[in-house]
Amino acid sequence: MEILCHCSLTPCLFHFSGACCGSDEKTYMVGGWAWAWWLITDIQRITLEIMTLQPKCEDVETAEGVAITVTGVAQIKVMTDHDLLAIACEQFLGKSVPEIKGVVLQTLEGHLRSILGTLTVEQIYQDRDKFAQLVREVAAPDVGRMGIEILSFTIKDVYDKVDYLSSLGKTQTAAVQRDADIGVAEAERDAGIREAECKKEMMDVKFLADTKMADSKRELELQKAAFNQEVNTKKAEAQLAYELQAAKEQQKIRLEEMEIEVVQRKKQITIEEKEIFRTEKELIAMVKRPAEAEAYKMQQLAEGQKMKKVLTAQAEAEKIRRIGEAEAGSIEAIGKAEPVVIYSIFVSQC
């Protein structure tokens, strides 16, 4: 018996078959180590590393009969699932890596040729990813039955010997150039239109901004005017209230002064009344009583004198009346004036 130990950095599968007592048991070991009987156990290896294939199909006719050459790159590896691993071992155990790659390469190239015959050059050339996906989907079941997995498949190059692709490229280039010129013209036209629209929008925005600015300025001025008016109104109201209050205070002071003057005047009148009353008492005591006596005396004398004058006047009047009646006829023209004169004389004598 011997111990088999695998320490390589390359992934590898060990296949053990055979044992003592004629056993035909098979064991699969992915890396690691295992026991093996010397001269009895058969040990075989198969690589598990990724293998790169470069399938190439030359002068394959497409659906339109154009012969083209297609090259690709595929990445494959042996699947490690137990059942699929057993299938891979049955197919490739004991074969070298180039032999495994050769079998899978032929399978891929066969499917690649069959798919190329169903597509046009334009489909293959313009959509390589879709073409590669189609090849991968068609070939995957066949290589899967070998225990091989297609990790990736891409188209590397597509070319022909009759300059079909070149002509197609020139046509496409011309079309692209034409479309580009049209696109440039349309772009310039659209750019001019857009520029005019932008200028119009800019002018509109500027007009709106200026309008809003003017409105804001006018609103500010109106607010300032309203504020100033309110301030001036408040100042005027405050000044008027101050003056009114001052006038009220002055009036109150004047009323109080007048009341004081009235009180003083009343006091003065009271004092004066008392003084008058005192003076009257003095006059009554010192003047009125003697004066009354003298006045009575004088009154009596005046009445006697008056009576005398009246009697004298009456006699004189009677005399004049008699003279007047005698002369009435001669002085009729001045009859009205003379009585006045006589009366006047009479009154003055009285």
Side-chain angles (χ1 to χ4, degrees), residues 71-87:
T71 60
V73 177
Q75 306 292 337
I76 63 172
K77 70 181 291 294
V78 176
M79 290 185 282
T80 57
D81 183 81
H82 188 272
D83 296 335
L84 297 175
L85 185 60
I87 294 174

Side-chain angles (χ1 to χ4, degrees), residues 32 37 39 63 71 119 134 153-154 171 180 229 250 269 284 341 343:
W37 293 95
L39 299 178
T71 60
L119 301 175
L134 183 60
F153 179 80
T154 57
T171 303
Q229 182 179 1
Q250 291 293 332
I269 292 172
I284 290 172
V341 173
Y343 178 74

Side-chain angles (χ1 to χ4, degrees), residues 316-332:
E316 187 68 25
E318 181 66 20
K319 177 183 177 181
I320 293 172
R321 184 181 65 80
R322 291 178 182 274
I323 294 172
E325 288 178 355
E327 294 178 357
S330 61
I331 57 175
E332 184 177 359

Side-chain angles (χ1 to χ4, degrees), residues 44-47 51 78 88-104:
Q44 294 178 316
R45 296 176 178 84
I46 184 173
T47 182
M51 294 172 282
V78 176
C89 289
E90 291 177 1
Q91 299 291 331
F92 301 110
L93 199 60
K95 295 183 180 294
S96 63
V97 173
E99 289 176 335
I100 297 172
K101 293 169 67 174
V103 173
V104 179

Side-chain angles (χ1 to χ4, degrees), residues 30-140:
V30 179
W33 61 276
W35 296 97
W37 293 95
W38 183 53
L39 299 178
I40 298 176
T41 304
D42 184 21
I43 303 172
Q44 294 178 316
R45 296 176 178 84
I46 184 173
T47 182
L48 297 179
E49 65 182 356
I50 296 175
M51 294 172 282
T52 301
L53 304 180
Q54 295 183 351
K56 181 178 181 180
C57 296
E58 294 182 348
D59 300 330
V60 180
E61 292 186 356
T62 62
E64 296 175 339
V66 179
I68 62 173
T69 299
V70 178
T71 60
V73 177
Q75 306 292 337
I76 63 172
K77 70 181 291 294
V78 176
M79 290 185 282
T80 57
D81 183 81
H82 188 272
D83 296 335
L84 297 175
L85 185 60
I87 294 174
C89 289
E90 291 177 1
Q91 299 291 331
F92 301 110
L93 199 60
K95 295 183 180 294
S96 63
V97 173
E99 289 176 335
I100 297 172
K101 293 169 67 174
V103 173
V104 179
L105 180 61
Q106 290 179 4
T107 303
L108 286 176
E109 288 179 348
H111 286 293
L112 184 58
R113 286 178 178 273
S114 63
I115 293 172
L116 285 172
T118 62
L119 301 175
T120 63
V121 178
E122 288 80 0
Q123 292 174 331
I124 297 169
Y125 186 78
Q126 294 176 358
D127 198 351
R128 296 188 181 189
D129 292 337
K130 185 176 180 181
F131 174 51
Q133 179 67 24
L134 183 60
V135 174
R136 189 162 54 249
E137 291 176 354
V138 173

